[in-house]
């Protein structure tokens, strides 16, 4: 079962930063936080992942709280093409789980003109 | 970046027939692949984990004899929906993981299966 909690939906104005929160209060010390997004009728797209340090790449930034119980995905300048369902996932690791991803319900981000 | 190709993108079949879906990692070797199913307005549900050279591991509630998975090489996994019924109509998505337990999973673009 998914071990994350996200708001079901959010709106963001085009050109502004989109900040998507995620709670993962039961995260274990060796579990990473992954973010994916899914645009309608396509496969999920990898965005970013992190363990405890903040991470940034060409798509987004990931801010993880010091206690690792929550994180925020930041899209610095949202565009209409960023409208999608965003999934925050705690990556299950270990020899018996082979790193599979368990998806929750995600946050539907609507970027508006 | 890593590319996962899925084929076909859409398929319509008659009830009682079988359908095979292919998942290929195009520019990396995937020791592990995952198969998901997604119904309209719902999230992805993990069906099974496909390991190269060994039997797939199915999630609870997924019928292994109905959803046959073969991972014969490091770049190809197939999912066969046997004796398909209308309730099997769904969006099937595969993903592949390269070497390393924490390598990001990369997803194919899915296969829309419609059983009539």
């Amino acid at each position: 079962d998914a071990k994350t909690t996200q708001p079901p939906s959010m709106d963001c104005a085009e050109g502004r930063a989109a900040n998507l929160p995620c709670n993962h209060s039961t995260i274990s010390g060796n579990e990473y936080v992954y973010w994916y997004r899914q645009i309608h009728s396509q496969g999920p797209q990898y965005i970013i992942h992190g363990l405890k340090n903040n991470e940034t790449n060409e798509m987004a930034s990931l801010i993880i709280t010091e206690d690792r119980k929550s994180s925020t995905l930041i899209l610095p300048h949202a565009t209409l093409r960023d409208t999608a369902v965003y999934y925050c996932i705690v990556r299950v690791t270990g020899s018996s789980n082979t790193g599979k991803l368990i998806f929750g319900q995600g946050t539907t981000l609507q970027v508006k003109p | 970046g890593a590319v996962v190709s899925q084929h076909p993108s859409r398929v319509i079949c008659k009830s009682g027939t079988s359908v095979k879906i292919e998942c290929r990692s195009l520019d990396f070797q995937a020791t592990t692949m995952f198969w998901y199913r997604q119904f309209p307005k719902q999230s992805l549900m993990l069906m099974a984990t496909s390991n190269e050279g060994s039997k797939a591991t199915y999630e609870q509630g997924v019928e292994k004899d109905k959803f046959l998975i073969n991972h014969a090489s490091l770049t190809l996994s197939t999912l066969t929906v046997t004796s398909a019924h209308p309730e099997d109509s769904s969006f099937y998505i595969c993903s592949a993981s390269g070497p390393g337990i924490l390598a990001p999973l990369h997803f194919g673009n899915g296969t829309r299966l419609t059983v009539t």
Side-chain angles (χ1 to χ4, degrees), chain A residues 69-83:
Chain A
K69 292 185 176 181
S70 65
S71 61
T72 301
L73 178 74
I74 301 173
L75 307 178
H77 305 287
T79 70
L80 298 179
R81 288 179 296 179
D82 292 322
T83 293

Side-chain angles (χ1 to χ4, degrees), chain A residues 15-94:
Chain A
R16 304 297 292 270
N19 297 285
L20 292 91
C22 178
N23 286 322
H24 30 78
S25 58
T26 60
I27 193 170
S28 299
N30 62 349
E31 290 180 317
Y32 283 66
V33 179
Y34 281 75
W35 282 84
Y36 284 78
R37 71 181 182 184
Q38 186 180 28
I39 296 170
H40 183 62
S41 294
Q42 297 182 23
Q45 177 189 23
Y46 166 77
I47 301 173
I48 198 168
H49 73 280
L51 181 63
K52 55 183 178 181
N53 297 321
N54 297 338
E55 302 288 344
T56 295
N57 63 21
E58 64 278 4
M59 289 183 68
S61 294
L62 174 60
I63 309 298
I64 302 174
T65 58
E66 191 170 345
D67 63 8
R68 301 209 323 122
K69 292 185 176 181
S70 65
S71 61
T72 301
L73 178 74
I74 301 173
L75 307 178
H77 305 287
T79 70
L80 298 179
R81 288 179 296 179
D82 292 322
T83 293
V85 180
Y86 286 77
Y87 295 99
C88 168
I89 306 166
V90 171
R91 181 86 178 269
V92 179
T93 59

Side-chain angles (χ1 to χ4, degrees), chain B residues 66-80:
Chain B
K66 180 167 185 61
F67 300 100
L68 301 179
I69 293 173
N70 183 279
H71 193 157
S73 77
L74 287 172
T75 60
L76 174 64
S77 176
T78 60
L79 168 68
T80 301

